[in-house]
Amino acid sequence: MRKILKKPEVLAPAGNLEKLKIAIRYGADAVYIGGQAFGLRSRAGNFSYEEMQEGVAFAHERDAKVYVAANMVAHDGDTEGAGEFFRTLRDIGIDAVIVSDPALISICFADAPGLPVHLSTQASATNYKTLEFWKQQGLERVVLAREVSMSEIQEIGQNTDVEMEAFIHGAMCISYSGRCTLSNHMANRDANRGGCAQSCRWKYDLFEMDNGLPRNIVDEDEEPFSMSAVDLSMIRYIPDMVEAGVDSLKIEGRMKSIHYVSTVASVYRKVVDAYCADPDNFVFDPAWEDELWKVAQRELSTGFFYREPTEDEQLFGKTRKIPQYAFAAQVLDYDPETKIATLQQRNNFGVGEEIEFYGPGEVGFKQVVTELWNEFDEPIDRAPNAMMTVKMTVDHPVAEFYFMRKKKVERVRTKVK
């Protein structure tokens, strides 16, 4: 008899309040955000306390959770105000904080009792004894190091009841568990205190000495050298994650767009629901993967889950094209009698172009733009101005918070490895 599977939560990034609401509308069970202190994304649209209150209210009304990342590595003086910060989060109703530094963990437990603490991936938890240690300290969930393999996750799940959270989609830091000092040296910005300049993704020439003279060894038809990894995607392997007992499937990308957040959250929601509903008869739909490629910015791989990454999982070598879709508009309203949708423009589009609509839980559909009107109901050929209000005839019913995108260039896709 098959064991009863626990459906994992789909955990999406939310760089600001708009993204929080979109992620939840598009299927996320939980979101993680940043406050205005103690996090690792100083350039993200971090939340004020008032925005947190609104976000928590929105999430809890829809049975979703909100976690706050406070995962910086604290130097002397960095912990000032942490107790008040954690108390405020607790009183707002934040469901948990994600922390890596033992000092901040200790402060949180002492000054904000009742606020759950999750261990950040920055802490490099790679075995069940480590999870048991943190359980003894009072933590209920651990975000596993990105370097753990699937077999290691299975072993961890068999030997501890601590909740496991694992990254399943998004950017992969080239350094071990994100603990990098390259940005400190290259840009004098501390990556572990929120200032990462992403120096690993800069494009470098690569030289060797040839008869005493430097010679660039990067060919003209190759990308300049970088130290950046391709992105992670476990879309085809969600069954393995569920069977291994992973409690939370985490999507990276607090600085990504609402186009990205909505698409990725929606796709993983579909896959998780489909597998958990009938695991014995689950069949992977290639359309799910095709959907992810519409927002991919780099090639995709399975990271460390099934083998040690090689140079093929690094962004270097022959130039590789990836999908290029532009987020064109957001639906504000739809009149079913006239089949006219009111849109807020996000990227230039016009009559004669093929576009695609998609919405929460809905399969997208394509059509050609045949007519456009501005906010004064005057006919126009294009919608060139950012955030302008336009109207168009739509072939199928849509609703508020549906999105419209358009294909920019032809693509050459690389399969998930």
Side-chain angles (χ1 to χ4, degrees), residues 30-295:
V31 295
Y32 62 101
I33 67 175
Q36 296 183 340
F38 307 109
L40 287 182
R41 290 291 183 270
S42 61
R43 291 178 293 160
N46 294 317
F47 284 60
S48 66
Y49 292 138
E50 291 76 17
E51 290 171 327
M52 287 185 189
Q53 287 179 319
E54 183 176 345
V56 166
F58 182 89
H60 288 180
E61 286 171 1
R62 293 159 179 80
D63 296 322
K65 295 181 178 180
V66 179
Y67 309 136
V68 172
N71 51 347
M72 71 179 295
V73 176
H75 292 227
D76 284 337
D78 287 341
T79 61
E80 184 177 348
E84 180 181 358
F85 176 76
F86 289 129
R87 281 195 303 275
T88 304
L89 299 192
R90 180 198 61 189
D91 296 343
I92 286 173
I94 293 297
D95 295 283
V97 288
I98 307 168
V99 190
S100 65
D101 193 289
L104 291 174
I105 292 173
S106 178
I107 291 170
C108 184
F109 281 133
D111 290 11
L115 177 61
V117 178
H118 297 171
L119 188 72
S120 170
T121 190
Q122 302 288 122
S124 305
T126 56
N127 61 81
Y128 73 85
K129 291 184 178 179
T130 295
L131 271 68
E132 284 293 297
F133 168 82
W134 287 110
K135 177 182 177 180
Q136 293 171 11
Q137 310 311 308
L139 277 68
E140 60 185 44
R141 179 185 291 187
V142 168
V143 186
L144 299 175
R146 300 193 196 193
E147 296 78 23
V148 296
S149 66
M150 184 59 65
S151 61
E152 289 173 323
I153 293 177
Q154 292 168 346
E155 182 177 3
I156 292 171
Q158 292 166 2
N159 289 279
T160 180
D161 61 356
V162 179
E163 290 186 4
M164 295 185 294
E165 182 175 304
F167 280 93
I168 48 94
H169 195 91
M172 292 282 285
C173 183
I174 200 67
S175 187
Y176 198 94
S177 292
R179 297 183 299 181
C180 180
T181 58
L182 185 63
S183 175
N184 301 57
H185 289 282
M186 300 296 289
N188 197 30
R189 286 168 48 176
D190 193 338
N192 292 293
R193 287 196 280 177
C196 183
Q198 297 188 328
S199 305
C200 62
R201 295 182 184 171
W202 297 354
K203 302 299 184 181
Y204 298 89
D205 288 327
L206 191 62
F207 293 89
E208 68 176 4
M209 297 304 293
D210 183 10
N211 294 322
L213 297 175
R215 181 175 69 87
N216 187 4
I217 62 174
V218 178
D219 294 336
E220 290 184 1
D221 63 343
E222 291 184 325
E223 295 182 67
F225 180 76
S226 77
M227 290 166 273
S228 183
V230 301
D231 283 0
L232 173 69
S233 176
M234 287 292 287
I235 189 63
R236 287 181 172 268
Y237 304 97
I238 293 304
D240 288 353
M241 305 296 285
V242 176
E243 296 287 346
V246 176
D247 297 276
S248 180
L249 306 176
K250 189 169 192 173
I251 300 163
E252 183 275 339
R254 277 195 287 142
M255 297 179 69
K256 297 290 182 65
S257 68
I258 60 174
H259 180 212
Y260 174 92
V261 171
S262 60
T263 300
V264 178
S266 178
V267 171
Y268 279 99
R269 171 82 281 143
K270 290 182 176 71
V271 180
V272 170
D273 288 350
Y275 181 71
C276 291
D278 191 0
D280 293 328
N281 296 297
F282 174 79
V283 177
F284 183 82
D285 185 348
W288 293 329
E289 187 174 82
D290 291 339
E291 190 77 359
L292 288 182
W293 279 100
K294 294 175 182 177
V295 293

